[in-house]
Amino acid sequence: MLDPRLGAWRERADAALARALPDPQSPPQRLHAAMRHAVLLGGKRMRPLLVYAAGDLFRADEAALDAAATAVELIHAYSLVHDDLPAMDDDALRRGQPTVHVAFDEATAILAGDALQSLAFEVLAATPVNDSVRVTLLRTLATASGAAGMCGGQALDLAATGNGGTLSVAALEHLHALKTGALIRAAVRLGALCGDASNDDLQHLDRYADALGLAFQVRDDLLDIEGDSATLGKTAGKDAAQDKATFPALIGLEASRARLHALRQTMTDALAPFGEHADALVVLGRMAIERDR
């Protein structure tokens, strides 16, 4: 059963994102329209929901969580815009809509991604928390987004494309810990930091988030094989076509499903110290594993 708070948090995140994005009627209109196309046309909002759920554990101020949720989703959106470019994954479909470079043009897509990244830190810098916490929030998101996180993981992914079968499982896990897991871990941390979580609390949440990030990617790999483009909202079957390193390719379908089960248990164990107060995080972990898109 879904936690009723998730729907309210998603609406809150969508409203905060719409407020943060520039007016589409103000110049440069084409750039602003591309930014809104990248952010507002759907999406699971997993990362903002993680911010709210983690912050709720520590009764964080919702205005602070709005800023953190918006910032992490803007970073995610920028990464998807650039990931879809011809120089990277060269995809024409995202969230059931034309990708930004298809709907607009390649140069506009690059600028839109750059502008979304800058906007994320502008929003986060205005988070209504004390200065020391704000600096920690900025450092957390910057580290997760750069060479030690998402961008580094994307570089490893590009290097492995075309020779995915040569990668070890450990190397694949490291790749996805950076590409996918770093931003998920940051989302959980941002929410918890807004509520002044202790270092011990953060360690439990990091363990949960690390398992969630890997589970999210294993499920993605399975969906690329078992799903269809209409349901996924993006092109299915591209991993195999591009000879990408995936968990099903390296360990097989059944072992991948078993790995999901083990990661689910890891998440449950990590959240156990929080009891029923972590129910929303439990539900989000289950959604990541059971989703069909």
Side-chain angles (χ1 to χ4, degrees), residues 121-272:
F121 289 101
E122 180 182 340
V123 169
L124 196 60
T127 307
V129 291
N130 67 56
D131 290 346
S132 64
V133 173
R134 191 179 301 112
V135 169
T136 302
L137 295 177
L138 289 164
R139 183 186 298 115
T140 297
L141 188 58
T143 301
S145 304
M150 185 180 66
C151 286
Q154 176 71 350
L156 292 173
D157 193 29
L158 289 170
T161 298
N163 58 351
T166 65
L167 227 62
S168 68
V169 173
L172 182 60
E173 289 182 358
H174 177 64
L175 184 163
H176 288 304
L178 300 185
K179 182 179 178 181
T180 304
L183 202 57
I184 285 176
R185 182 175 182 170
V188 175
R189 274 203 160 229
L190 291 176
L193 288 166
C194 285
D196 295 322
S198 70
N199 286 334
D200 189 54
D201 290 329
L202 291 173
Q203 286 181 11
H204 288 297
L205 291 173
D206 282 347
R207 186 171 174 232
Y208 160 81
D210 289 344
L212 174 58
L214 187 55
F216 196 92
Q217 188 58 52
V218 174
R219 184 61 182 151
D220 241 21
D221 288 352
L222 288 167
L223 286 172
D224 190 71
I225 296 170
E226 300 171 339
D228 61 87
S229 297
T231 302
L232 294 175
K234 60 183 179 180
T235 308
K238 287 201 71 175
D239 290 344
Q242 296 179 341
D243 189 22
K244 281 200 166 190
T246 67
F247 287 95
L250 292 184
I251 64 176
L253 289 171
E254 288 308 312
S256 296
R257 294 188 187 103
R259 189 64 190 277
L260 276 181
H261 179 76
L263 289 166
R264 182 173 187 165
Q265 187 59 51
T266 299
M267 286 188 274
T268 299
D269 294 344
L271 294 176

Side-chain angles (χ1 to χ4, degrees), residues 7-104:
W9 287 337
R10 174 165 181 149
E11 290 181 7
R12 192 174 180 101
D14 285 342
L17 286 162
R19 289 195 303 271
L21 288 162
D23 182 353
Q25 302 307 316
S26 66
Q29 288 96 332
R30 188 172 179 83
L31 174 61
H32 293 169
M35 293 169 69
R36 298 180 77 85
H37 181 97
V39 176
L40 298 180
L41 294 184
K44 293 177 280 294
R45 303 291 189 241
M46 173 64 75
R47 291 152 192 83
L49 289 174
L50 288 168
V51 171
Y52 288 114
D56 186 69
L57 264 180
F58 306 100
R59 299 180 181 176
D61 177 66
E62 286 197 324
L65 296 179
D66 287 343
T70 298
V72 75
E73 186 68 1
L74 290 173
I75 291 291
H76 176 57
Y78 121 72
S79 75
L80 297 182
V81 174
H82 284 189
D83 191 53
D84 290 333
L85 288 168
M88 296 213 197
D89 277 3
D90 193 14
D91 216 326
L93 193 67
R94 173 70 67 179
R95 295 170 173 171
Q97 303 287 336
T99 49
V100 176
H101 72 272
V102 171
F104 295 86

